[in-house]
Amino acid sequence: MTAAPTRVYLRRRLEAHLTELGYSSSRSGRKSPVVPEIVRVNPVRGSIVYGETVMQPDLSRTRCHERLLYFSQRRTRHRSSILFFIGVAESDLEKLEELLVELAIRSGIRGGHVHVVSIPAPETPKRAKRPRAPA
């Protein structure tokens, strides 16, 4: 898969995961210098979550590092952490975990509100073989 369809696939799977957790309402964007890829709200509790997708080429980009740091440090008006979900392909999971430790987003003490969602590769349908015509 190329980059654009892969990112769309990761985003849809991450959105489905957040919906399963009860964050079903989409929230319109606010005036902010940095806007998260996904913003969801739990309609019952009113709590907000952010979501970002990260692909293998993003792991070495400074812009991606800055976005991960920015959203991992966001807080509500009452100073509690906002849950932050990162959708990543299973093949890039270890590299992302290493990056989160390197950026001091996750450690033994910090980063409990940052959740990494490992997304399996899409299943590719196999074509059925047609029987050959007798010669």
Side-chain angles (χ1 to χ4, degrees):
M1 251 198 271
T2 59
T6 302
R7 190 169 303 278
V8 169
Y9 173 75
L10 290 172
R11 181 184 173 125
R12 287 190 178 150
R13 292 294 303 260
L14 182 58
E15 286 175 339
H17 178 76
L18 294 176
T19 301
E20 289 174 8
L21 294 175
Y23 298 97
S24 57
S25 298
S26 182
R27 185 170 182 184
S28 60
R30 291 191 167 204
K31 306 290 186 228
S32 175
V34 183
V35 179
E37 204 173 325
I38 301 169
V39 180
R40 293 289 181 158
V41 178
N42 185 310
V44 176
R45 296 187 312 230
S47 57
I48 188 172
V49 296
Y50 293 145
E52 287 283 319
T53 58
V54 176
M55 294 179 14
Q56 198 271 330
D58 298 334
L59 295 171
S60 60
R61 293 187 178 137
T62 306
R63 183 170 184 260
C64 175
H65 299 181
E66 291 169 355
R67 289 180 67 82
L68 292 175
L69 278 167
Y70 181 78
F71 293 117
S72 69
Q73 295 171 352
R74 292 292 309 245
R75 297 198 176 274
T76 65
R77 284 185 223 148
H78 303 290
R79 304 297 300 152
S80 62
S81 298
I82 295 175
L83 290 178
F84 180 43
F85 289 85
I86 304 170
V88 65
E90 284 181 340
S91 57
D92 302 325
L93 179 62
E94 288 183 34
K95 293 176 186 171
L96 176 65
E97 292 286 354
E98 291 171 6
L99 178 64
L100 294 177
V101 170
E102 181 182 317
L103 296 174
I105 294 173
R106 299 220 26 213
S107 66
I109 301 169
R110 299 187 57 198
H113 64 287
V114 177
H115 302 276
V116 177
V117 180
S118 176
I119 299 172
E123 295 180 18
T124 54
K126 294 188 178 185
R127 294 185 180 187
K129 292 185 179 180
R130 295 189 325 192
R132 294 187 180 198

